[in-house]
Amino acid sequence: MAGIKAKAKLKNGVVSVKALIKNPSMTYNMAEKKTGSRDNADFITHFSATLNGEVVADFSTSQFLSKNPIFKFEFKGIGAKKDKIKLVAMNNHGKTYKGKAKIK
Amino acid sequence: MERRKFLSMTLGAIALAAVPASIRAEDFRKSKPAVWTTKNVMNGKKVTEDGVMAAIKALYGSNSLTMEGVKLKAPDVASNGGAIPVDFSTDKDVKSIAVFQNANPEAAVMVVDVNKYSVNKYSIKIKMASSGTITIVAQGNDGKLYAAQKTLDVALGGCEG
């Protein structure tokens, strides 16, 4: 399973999350040059994080994130130590990437 | 009549509760498809700025920007265009934040759907094919579009675009 590596930390009431999605982030132009077909483009289109069923971060993304894109974001008002954040991303072909991060 | 009303209401409530969290957040690729196809390059010619402005208009319906309230940090010179660190934050009360650039074939990079838990402070890494300008636009709940821009040199293009 393709995955997401993530870390989450609680400090002064704010949870900061760092997530890395394993994805080549290949644009249409790169796919055309390297494989001859634009259809081989592979990039993340959507990434979201939920905690206890509540969305804490939500990104709609395009081809122009770096390879293995890294996201850092913060949230507050929810989350305690040892809570698990669920991370789900999807690429342009509908493949899902999943990951979890335990708040430290 | 009362009973029927009650039933339909409960059914409605159940249907609402059953919608998974991932659907409740706005997917900007679905709701605003035009944003993601707005091009920086037209007929082989690079259009400066216009692509970004057109994408902002496609997303928010307006592109009159207020150049304040958003902090944007990116390097002056990026040695590797494949992974340019971009940090942005805002203290304003905002609904969403979008990232654009004018170096790649299309303008849009990312749209953040802000929620009630968000501390609007983000770091991402993006690709840029050549030197260009990054534009961050935050849609305030007061209807204003707060923005920040940064022009940087890219030594080695990142997406061969």
Side-chain angles (χ1 to χ4, degrees):
Chain A
M1 188 182 71
I4 301 172
K5 275 187 197 166
K7 275 183 183 173
K9 218 175 202 177
L10 178 67
K11 202 180 174 189
N12 301 330
V14 175
V15 181
S16 52
V17 183
K18 190 176 175 184
L20 184 149
I21 307 168
K22 284 220 153 210
N23 174 272
S25 200
M26 192 189 273
T27 67
Y28 288 113
N29 284 357
M30 278 163 85
E32 195 169 17
K33 250 185 202 171
K34 283 184 184 159
T35 66
S37 168
R38 291 174 78 81
D39 297 339
N40 288 328
D42 185 350
F43 57 91
I44 299 296
T45 55
H46 196 255
F47 173 52
S48 66
T50 51
L51 178 62
N52 303 334
E54 298 265 5
V55 177
V56 291
D58 187 88
F59 307 98
S60 302
T61 58
S62 82
Q63 322 158 42
F64 307 122
L65 292 171
S66 67
K67 182 183 170 189
N68 296 335
I70 290 177
F71 291 85
K72 281 188 212 163
F73 57 90
E74 297 181 357
F75 61 87
K76 64 180 177 186
I78 186 171
K81 287 195 181 193
K82 291 185 181 169
D83 278 359
K84 271 183 188 162
I85 301 167
K86 275 189 199 164
L87 303 151
V88 180
M90 194 186 271
N91 79 353
N92 56 323
H93 298 294
K95 182 171 152 191
T96 47
Y97 297 72
K98 280 183 186 167
K100 267 182 203 164
K102 201 174 184 182
I103 299 174
K104 278 182 189 161
Chain B
M1 194 58 193
E2 278 305 306
R3 182 169 163 267
R4 199 178 294 168
K5 214 173 180 180
F6 173 75
L7 267 177
S8 67
M9 270 171 73
T10 12
L11 276 177
I14 290 167
L16 267 180
V19 174
S22 58
I23 295 174
R24 250 184 295 153
E26 186 168 3
D27 184 345
F28 287 95
R29 289 192 77 95
K30 284 196 186 113
S31 61
K32 308 272 173 162
V35 176
W36 308 94
T37 53
T38 304
K39 293 198 185 310
N40 279 319
V41 180
M42 279 195 194
N43 305 326
K45 250 191 187 172
K46 193 163 180 175
V47 288
T48 48
E49 210 64 310
D50 295 322
V52 173
M53 285 301 159
I56 295 169
K57 197 155 194 186
L59 182 61
Y60 295 128
S62 154
N63 57 14
S64 57
L65 307 176
T66 309
M67 302 305 279
E68 60 166 41
V70 178
K71 273 186 201 151
L72 165 61
K73 210 180 114 197
D76 294 321
V77 178
S79 53
N80 175 12
I84 301 167
V86 179
D87 298 358
F88 56 99
S89 62
T90 180
D91 295 331
K92 300 276 180 194
D93 185 17
V94 297
K95 238 185 265 178
S96 68
I97 307 171
V99 182
F100 303 96
Q101 44 58 44
N102 63 359
N104 296 339
E106 283 94 24
V109 177
M110 183 169 94
V111 182
V112 187
D113 189 16
V114 174
N115 57 67
K116 59 182 169 175
Y117 303 112
S118 296
V119 175
N120 289 311
K121 197 173 164 193
Y122 306 91
S123 294
I124 54 166
K125 284 193 176 178
I126 70 168
K127 282 191 294 227
M128 277 170 84
S130 62
S131 302
T133 304
I134 298 170
T135 307
I136 309 282
V137 183
Q139 182 194 22
N141 279 323
D142 55 5
K144 277 188 184 168
L145 296 176
Y146 297 101
Q149 284 185 320
K150 164 114 191 178
T151 303
L152 61 152
D153 284 327
V154 176
L156 184 70
C159 68
E160 295 144 40

